[in-house]
Every structure is written in C-alpha cells, then in structure tokens.
Amino acid sequence: GAGVSQSPSNKVTEKGKDVELRCDPISGHTALYWYRQSLGQGLEFLIYFQGNSAPDKSGLPSDRFSAERTGGSVSTLTIQRTQQEDSAVYLCASSPGDRGLKQDFGPGTRLTVT
Amino acid sequence: GQQLNQSPQSMFIQEGEDVSMNCTSSSIFNTWLWYKQDPGEGPVLLIALYKAGELTSNGRLTAQFGITRKDSFLNISASIPSDVGIYFCAGQRGNQGAQKLVFGQGTRLTINP
C-alpha cells in the first residue's frame, strides 16, 4: 500500500518568507510525528499528533513553528519568517497509534532558506 | 537536544567485513530501535528491542538491548555493498501508545569494494 508522502520534496525560500510543508500519513494511522534533520545530524523531534490533537509540542524550536492536523489525516507544518538556521530536511512519520514504535517515515522535505 | 551518543560517527570497511556500532544514553529507555537511512529517503526500521538484555537478529543484523537499558549495539556480519548508508539508534521511553523517538547522531557506513 501507499506509504507516507510529503510535499514538496524540495523547497527553496528567501529569509523572512513563510513556508508550509505537507504530510500525508498512511491511511488508518492515528499518530503522526514531525522530525527535523540538519545536515549530518540525527533526527530531532518537533511535535506529534494523536488524532487531531498534539499532546507533545515540546520539540518546536520557537513560536515561528506551528503544525496542525485535520480530519485525523493530513498534517501541515508551518514555519513563519524563515531563518537560515531553519534549513534542514523535515521528516514526517506515522504509526498505528497503539504502538508508537512502528513509525513509518516519509522521504522528507528538504528546506533551504537563502 | 540529542540524548543518545552513537559511535563511531563513520566507518570505512572492506566488503565482507563485520561491522559493530553502539549507542549509549545517560537515561533509561524502555525500547531501543535501529534504523537505516539511504540518501534522499526517510529512515527504515531494521530492528526493535523491547526487553533489557534482549538479543535479536534480522538476517545478517544482530542487535542487543543493554541490561541497564542505557545502551544498545548493532552488528552487521559479512557486509555487502547495499549495507552502505547511515545507521541510527533511537530510544523510546514508553511502550504504550504514541511515543516520540530520541535519535543518535548516526553512523555513516562506507564499503570499499
């Protein structure tokens, strides 16, 4: 079946602009996670959703970052007034929810802020 | 920030050699996982460890969950070219419901033919 998909695959934006990153989880997966991967680094947790609510937003780096999920499916990560340090690969994962271990990852969105 | 220390950061080996990498933490994790990431793709789960002391194999891969629940290692035997990539350990504190993963910095494996 279809895996986790993310769009766009690449995004180049000017410093100060807002960007929206989209994640389509695996159908039926109730939990959705956002991670950030800087060049040569491991993945850094940002936020996760159980259904449409976000029990843990502890990883969001600043109030410029926000995320929402609607209909228990698609999620959007929004970065306002982008800065150069926001440049990274943003990865989305989903899981059945009852067992967060089985997180299936999407291919990521590579964001470059110039 | 990162709480898992993964080593080595990179490895350069000959095809056919065995590989060993490990991960340590200053705090306890109830679940340890090992992922592999190929360029331009998201990580793919290789092995999941649920119990302290557990030793689990998946083909040429073997991983162990440390007794103290603060460390884990991954071994790859008889390496082949498709083993090239970045390997990440990850820990999860709980074992029920949705849980975030804490990742190590990764081990980049390069194989010389």
Side-chain angles (χ1 to χ4, degrees):
Chain A
V4 177
S5 61
Q6 293 186 244
S7 61
S9 55
N10 282 283
K11 176 72 176 179
V12 180
T13 190
E14 292 181 352
K15 176 181 174 181
K17 301 285 189 182
D18 297 351
V19 295
E20 286 189 353
L21 312 179
R22 176 186 169 109
C23 173
D24 284 87
I26 291 173
S27 178
H29 279 191
T30 59
L32 185 149
Y33 312 78
W34 284 99
Y35 295 87
R36 177 170 73 173
Q37 185 175 29
S38 300
L39 185 63
Q41 299 294 313
L43 283 71
E44 173 190 7
F45 169 79
L46 297 178
I47 185 172
Y48 91 85
F49 291 88
Q50 181 66 275
N52 292 333
S53 62
D56 190 345
K57 306 178 184 180
S58 61
L60 294 177
S62 73
D63 59 8
R64 296 186 296 105
F65 288 72
S66 63
E68 65 175 12
R69 189 180 186 196
T70 55
S73 180
V74 173
S75 176
T76 302
L77 177 69
T78 301
I79 309 174
Q80 297 178 308
R81 305 180 302 280
T82 52
Q83 303 294 313
Q84 287 186 332
E85 61 263 29
D86 299 335
S87 296
V89 176
Y90 290 81
L91 289 151
C92 174
S94 69
S95 73
D98 58 335
R99 294 286 293 198
L101 305 170
K102 295 184 183 300
Q103 295 184 23
D104 293 296
F105 282 83
T109 293
R110 179 175 297 278
L111 175 67
T112 303
V113 181
T114 60
Chain B
Q2 298 285 4
Q3 298 179 53
L4 299 186
N5 297 308
Q6 187 171 347
S7 64
Q9 291 187 11
S10 60
M11 301 184 72
F12 299 85
I13 64 169
Q14 299 292 324
E15 184 177 348
E17 288 185 11
D18 297 343
V19 171
S20 184
M21 59 191 79
N22 67 78
C23 212
T24 61
S25 170
S26 58
S27 57
I28 289 172
F29 286 92
N30 285 310
T31 304
W32 285 82
L33 307 106
W34 286 92
Y35 284 84
K36 179 175 183 274
Q37 186 177 29
D38 293 326
E41 299 182 11
V44 174
L45 181 65
L46 299 174
I47 290 181
L49 301 159
Y50 304 102
K51 297 179 182 178
E54 178 181 0
L55 184 70
T56 297
S57 294
N58 179 9
R60 294 178 297 106
L61 308 179
T62 302
Q64 183 153 31
F65 190 155
I67 288 290
T68 63
R69 291 187 287 163
K70 293 183 179 180
D71 63 297
S72 177
F73 72 73
L74 175 71
N75 288 341
I76 306 172
S77 62
S79 58
I80 61 177
S82 61
D83 291 335
V84 167
I86 304 177
Y87 292 79
F88 291 99
C89 61
Q92 195 167 47
R93 298 199 188 282
N95 52 23
Q96 295 293 329
Q99 298 278 342
K100 68 182 180 185
L101 296 174
V102 178
F103 283 83
Q105 304 96 324
T107 296
R108 182 180 296 273
L109 179 62
T110 302
I111 297 177
N112 300 316

